Amino acid sequence: MRKKISKTLSILLPILLGVFLTIYTYNSFTPEQLEEMKSYFRNADYTYIFIALIFGFISHAARAYRWKFMLEHMGYHSPFKNNFMAVWVAYFMNMTIPRSGEVSRALVLKKYENIPFDKAFGSIIAERVIDFIILLLFIATAVLLQFDILKTFLLNTIPVEKLLVYGIVAFVVFLSAILLFIYSKSKWILMIKGKISGLTEGLFSVWKMEKKWPFLFYTAIIWLAYVLTFYTAIFALEETSGISFGVVVTAFVIGSLAISFSNGGFGVFPVLIAGILALYGVPKEAGTAFGWIIWTSQTVQIIILGGLSFLLLPILNRKK
């Protein structure tokens, strides 16, 4: 019963958060601001959004192709078409139940290629470990590129005395967590250790692959396409077209985190994007419109191609 309640809450809470943020943001605008925001939607150059969608498509195609190297390393083969549709199904599922996409991808290969679920799922986890490390590198890059702006924002928002106290508290908490992790025999800590051990094993499995360099090459293609998806979209609005590449990287990181920890970024993505762009002089109305335009276009693409993949998988894999 408790497990069922926990699972239900894990689905409902991100959705409710998205709904709350959407309503809250809408109510925070005056009628004049709402009208101005509508003008951004009407006057946006959607040619750039279409190009951004092409880059998004390329990133997902590269992800599907990269998957084959991990599967071949384990002795399995799956045609590109099934990998490709499994990837779109995964993104589609992530919009309903956070992190359910990985399970969906593995289930698709289990059903249509008879690849054991644990093997397919393990290959996906190994991929995610690599992607997580790259995201951390992007976060570090964003902090380095925008350190002065972020420092000024923190100092203007939080007094130095409080910032120092927060820093000391954070250090103590971090140190306590490390010691707890090392010495605790709690079943929860042991479970986390097991998961970290599995992630580490997945990471090192990449270096044992015969085709590790092609795998890493397509990983670079995936993330380059991700960044270009965001970068191209900034030219859709005049107010965002002048932001620097460093700002793009920062906003891209924030957007990626929003999508990772919610139902595809619903409600959260536009709010966070508007907030980060406001630090660089982009009006709140323009930043919010920009966030919604990107999120909506990407979501529509996922719904269409994810839905088509659901329909085409049984048709294209029909046994003759």
Side-chain angles (χ1 to χ4, degrees):
M1 183 66 180
R2 289 176 61 186
K3 190 174 181 180
K4 187 175 181 181
I5 293 174
S6 176
K7 185 176 180 181
T8 302
L9 288 175
S10 69
I11 297 170
L12 287 179
L13 287 179
I15 296 175
L16 292 175
L17 175 62
V19 171
F20 168 76
L21 288 174
T22 302
I23 295 173
Y24 177 80
T25 305
Y26 180 85
N27 290 332
S28 69
F29 288 111
T30 64
E32 293 76 17
Q33 288 175 315
L34 288 173
E35 190 57 40
E36 183 180 353
M37 195 159 63
K38 289 177 184 177
S39 72
Y40 289 126
F41 283 99
R42 289 193 298 266
N43 299 324
D45 188 342
Y46 286 97
T47 301
Y48 289 105
I49 299 301
F50 178 75
I51 296 172
L53 289 175
I54 293 175
F55 282 122
F57 183 89
I58 290 171
S59 70
H60 295 335
R63 179 175 295 280
Y65 192 79
R66 181 186 69 169
W67 197 10
K68 80 164 190 169
F69 299 118
M70 187 65 72
L71 293 171
E72 287 176 354
H73 174 65
M74 296 186 297
Y76 299 101
H77 174 75
S78 176
F80 173 75
K81 64 178 175 62
N82 282 347
N83 291 355
F84 184 64
M85 287 186 286
V87 166
W88 284 108
V89 166
Y91 279 96
F92 183 89
M93 291 302 299
N94 275 336
M95 293 179 60
T96 58
I97 305 173
R99 315 321 307 167
S100 65
E102 285 78 2
V103 175
S104 302
R105 277 176 67 183
L107 287 174
V108 167
L109 293 199
K110 173 69 173 67
K111 181 174 182 179
Y112 295 107
E113 297 299 329
N114 201 29
I115 296 176
F117 174 83
D118 59 330
K119 299 294 185 182
F121 187 71
S123 69
I124 295 166
I125 296 303
E127 284 186 356
R128 287 303 187 187
V129 172
I130 298 296
D131 290 332
F132 178 68
I133 290 172
I134 292 175
L135 180 58
L136 290 179
L137 292 175
F138 270 103
I139 292 173
T141 302
V143 171
L144 289 174
L145 290 176
Q146 304 301 315
F147 180 76
D148 290 337
I149 294 289
L150 295 174
K151 181 182 72 173
T152 302
F153 171 72
L154 285 174
L155 291 176
N156 290 339
T157 305
I158 307 172
V160 177
E161 297 80 7
K162 284 189 176 181
L163 199 60
L164 184 61
V165 172
Y166 292 157
I168 293 173
V169 170
F171 176 76
V172 171
V173 170
F174 176 74
L175 187 61
S176 301
I178 293 294
L179 293 173
L180 183 66
F181 182 80
I182 294 173
Y183 297 108
S184 175
K185 300 299 181 182
S186 164
K187 67 175 183 178
W188 296 105
I189 300 297
L190 293 175
M191 182 183 72
I192 293 172
K193 283 183 178 180
K195 289 185 178 294
I196 292 177
S197 175
L199 293 177
T200 305
E201 184 181 348
L203 174 62
F204 284 108
S205 70
V206 173
W207 297 106
K208 298 175 184 177
M209 290 171 53
E210 183 180 346
K211 298 181 179 178
K212 59 177 175 290
W213 296 116
F215 178 91
L216 294 173
F217 172 76
Y218 279 95
T219 298
I221 294 295
I222 291 167
W223 285 89
L224 177 62
Y226 278 163
V227 175
L228 289 176
T229 297
F230 199 97
Y231 181 71
T232 304
I234 70 172
F235 298 104
L237 294 180
E238 185 178 346
E239 288 71 15
T240 57
S241 61
I243 61 178
S244 68
F245 186 73
V247 178
V248 169
V249 172
T250 304
F252 165 74
V253 167
I254 296 299
S256 298
L257 292 173
I259 291 172
S260 297
F261 295 103
S262 64
N263 290 65
F266 171 62
V268 181
F269 183 92
V271 171
L272 293 181
I273 293 299
I276 199 70
L277 292 182
L279 296 178
Y280 301 93
V282 177
K284 182 181 177 182
E285 300 86 351
T288 303
F290 174 72
W292 276 110
I293 287 172
I294 293 183
W295 183 85
T296 303
S297 59
Q298 296 291 329
T299 299
V300 169
Q301 183 183 50
I302 289 171
I303 290 173
I304 292 174
L305 293 177
L308 281 174
S309 296
F310 267 117
L311 294 173
L312 291 175
L313 272 166
I315 295 174
L316 296 179
N317 288 279
R318 185 180 298 157
K319 294 181 179 180
K320 297 180 180 179

